[in-house]
Amino acid sequence: MTIANILAEKGREVVTASADTTLQEAAQLMMQYRIGAIVILDDSGRLMGLIAERDIVSAVALNGPEAMTQPISSFMQQHPEPAREEDAVENTMRVMTVERRRHIPVVRESRLVGLISIGDVVKYRIRVIEEEHRSMREYIAQA
């Protein structure tokens, strides 16, 4: 199982923003699209950062409400280590757990091709386990 399998199921659409987007605008985008993170791209479309709900909460907690008028470049995760389509889901799950990352951008040749969340990974693993369970029951029933 690879990250490409997850992207094939969930889709590759990613909400992106530029570094000068304000924290308020980022929060509004997250609410509009019902997502937990936005990928930040530079002018050439390359991965520059990631801003997640947790980053917004931390920014407001540390800087007060005026943080909402600041650019997300002040608070984003700088150059997050991306996953690749050929990466094993199990390895990506390990990275998410060890590094406490809920969202990981996916790149191909330095270009953004998707974003996976811990929810995407868990949903995919549950489906795989259910399929294995069903196959084992069918095998036992045929014996």
Side-chain angles (χ1 to χ4, degrees):
M1 293 183 295
T2 65
I3 297 304
N5 297 115
I6 292 176
L7 292 177
E9 281 186 19
K10 76 166 271 194
R12 294 175 177 271
E13 188 174 329
V14 180
V15 176
T16 64
S18 63
D20 60 350
T21 302
T22 66
L23 217 53
Q24 176 72 36
E25 292 167 329
Q28 289 170 337
L29 283 170
M30 288 180 194
M31 289 297 296
Q32 177 184 348
Y33 290 100
R34 299 176 48 97
I35 56 175
I38 298 172
V39 175
I40 313 309
L41 301 177
D42 66 16
D43 292 336
S44 65
R46 297 197 186 275
L47 177 63
M48 182 178 180
L50 185 132
I51 188 94
E53 295 164 320
R54 185 185 298 174
D55 301 316
I56 294 174
V57 170
S58 295
V60 172
L62 294 173
N63 301 293
E66 53 274 358
M68 297 304 286
T69 63
Q70 300 295 316
I72 53 180
S73 59
S74 302
F75 308 105
M76 70 183 184
Q77 302 165 35
Q78 301 276 336
H79 305 287
E81 185 65 31
R84 291 183 174 50
E85 293 171 295
E86 62 273 9
D87 291 348
V89 172
E90 292 78 12
N91 292 342
T92 303
M93 287 172 52
R94 193 173 306 110
V95 168
M96 289 177 146
T97 302
V98 170
E99 296 181 13
R100 298 180 52 101
R101 295 172 59 193
R102 294 180 181 165
H103 302 88
I104 297 183
V106 182
V107 298
R108 180 189 316 132
E109 298 177 13
S110 301
R111 292 289 184 199
L112 182 68
V113 295
L115 178 71
I116 59 165
S117 70
I118 192 72
D120 298 329
V121 172
V122 168
K123 187 185 315 179
Y124 186 78
R125 287 292 299 151
I126 288 171
R127 190 180 61 71
V128 168
I129 290 168
E130 287 173 346
E131 287 175 5
E132 289 172 354
H133 181 255
R134 188 180 65 249
S135 294
M136 289 178 77
R137 286 178 42 170
E138 289 172 3
Y139 176 77
I140 291 169
Q142 292 175 358

